[in-house]
């Protein structure tokens, strides 16, 4: 069982790197086999086909890292608790890619998104829905934090939620840190800096 999980993760990491370097049509099973050392049969076993593998990459590294809809209710009651939880989730997901030595994760994500928008029909809609849900949750967290007295009463709840979500998006698409851990530390510093301006 553990071997299967490791093989699946290895395939996903290699696929992420290849889909980041080549357009979707150019990533062949031969290329995947050569890069991963894992047979086409195993890839088909885990993902059914190349589109299934590409969708798994999207689920794991795009919808997953900043998908905040799975947070526990108590974590939405405090902005500081919430963004610290989010940073740890991003750190955990990013660590899955570290063994594959991807030079620039932000650029890699951008390239994969471009292929997804072109070759996965529902990607744009699903990405927009995920962003709308994330915006709703950030707004709920900020509102809860104002109501509890954690944040100042006079802040603009909607604008503050948008700002924190924009900081997150900036991390995913503009961070050029060679070491991903440094980028995540910077993300936390940005959250902390903004938080210090609005806390009670």
């Amino acid at each position: 069982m553990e071997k299967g999980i490791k093989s699946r993760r290895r395939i996903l990491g290699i696929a992420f790197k290849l889909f980041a370097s080549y357009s979707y049509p150019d990533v062949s099973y031969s290329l995947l086999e050569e890069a991963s050392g894992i047979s086409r049969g195993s890839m088909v076993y885990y993902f059914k086909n190349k589109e299934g593998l590409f969708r798994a990459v999207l689920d794991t590294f795009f919808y997953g890292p900043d998908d905040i809809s799975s947070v526990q209710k108590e974590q939405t009651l405090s902005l500081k608790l919430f963004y610290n939880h989010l940073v740890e989730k991003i750190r955990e997901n990013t660590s899955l890619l570290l063994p594959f030595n991807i030079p620039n994760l932000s650029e890699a994500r951008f390239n994969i998104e471009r292929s997804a928008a072109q070759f996965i029909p529902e990607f744009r809609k699903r990405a927009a829905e995920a962003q709308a849900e994330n915006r709703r949750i950030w707004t709920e967290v900020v509102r809860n934090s104002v109501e509890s007295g954690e944040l100042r009463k006079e802040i603009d709840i909607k604008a503050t939620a948008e700002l924190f979500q924009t900081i997150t998006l900036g991390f995913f698409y503009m961070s050029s840190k060679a070491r991903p851990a440094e980028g995540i530390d910077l993300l936390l510093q940005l959250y902390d800096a903004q938080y210090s301006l609005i806390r009670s």
Side-chain angles (χ1 to χ4, degrees):
M1 185 69 165
E2 181 64 27
K3 183 181 178 184
I5 293 171
K6 286 182 179 177
S7 293
R8 189 178 191 281
R9 283 181 183 162
R10 176 167 175 71
I11 294 167
L12 282 172
I14 294 291
F16 181 99
K17 188 171 185 177
L18 291 176
F19 285 124
S21 304
Y22 304 93
S23 69
Y24 175 77
D26 293 333
V27 178
S28 65
Y29 276 114
S30 297
L31 197 58
L32 287 161
E33 284 178 314
E34 183 181 334
S36 68
I38 296 172
S39 71
R40 176 177 179 164
S42 292
M43 292 182 217
V44 170
Y45 173 78
Y46 291 117
F47 304 104
K48 295 188 178 175
N49 52 38
K50 187 173 84 169
E51 183 178 320
L53 174 56
F54 190 51
R55 287 175 183 271
V57 167
L58 295 174
D59 286 340
T60 303
F61 302 111
F62 286 83
Y63 306 126
D66 65 336
D67 176 13
I68 56 180
S69 60
S70 63
V71 297
Q72 302 299 315
K73 186 67 178 173
E74 61 269 17
Q75 291 166 328
T76 66
L77 300 178
S78 161
L79 178 59
K80 190 168 182 68
L81 181 66
F82 179 76
Y83 72 67
N84 273 285
H85 167 77
L86 180 58
V87 166
E88 287 313 306
K89 187 171 181 184
I90 292 170
R91 197 182 302 277
E92 180 183 317
N93 279 284
T94 301
S95 71
L96 298 175
L97 291 170
L98 293 181
F100 303 102
N101 299 315
I102 297 165
N104 187 317
L105 284 176
S106 295
E107 184 180 319
R109 286 187 179 101
F110 180 79
N111 290 340
I112 291 174
E113 263 201 356
R114 189 170 46 199
S115 276
Q118 187 175 359
F119 297 104
I120 303 297
E122 75 281 4
F123 175 78
R124 289 177 193 267
K125 181 182 177 188
R126 188 172 173 192
E129 287 171 350
Q131 287 302 317
E133 177 64 3
N134 283 359
R135 184 176 299 111
R136 183 194 68 75
I137 294 171
W138 275 111
T139 303
E140 177 187 344
V141 170
V142 173
R143 182 178 292 111
N144 289 342
S145 300
V146 168
E147 290 173 358
S148 72
E150 179 186 3
L151 303 180
R152 297 201 314 265
K153 297 287 184 190
E154 69 271 17
I155 68 167
D156 183 320
I157 291 172
K158 185 176 179 183
T160 301
E162 289 279 352
L163 182 57
F164 274 89
Q165 187 176 23
T166 301
I167 290 170
T168 312
L169 290 172
F171 163 75
F172 280 113
Y173 296 105
M174 296 178 67
S175 175
S176 59
K177 295 286 184 184
R179 296 177 180 162
E182 291 178 5
I184 297 170
D185 290 342
L186 176 59
L187 174 63
L188 183 56
Q189 289 171 17
L190 292 173
Y191 283 151
D192 282 338
Q194 182 58 36
Y195 179 80
S196 71
L197 298 175
I198 59 176
R199 68 184 179 187
S200 294

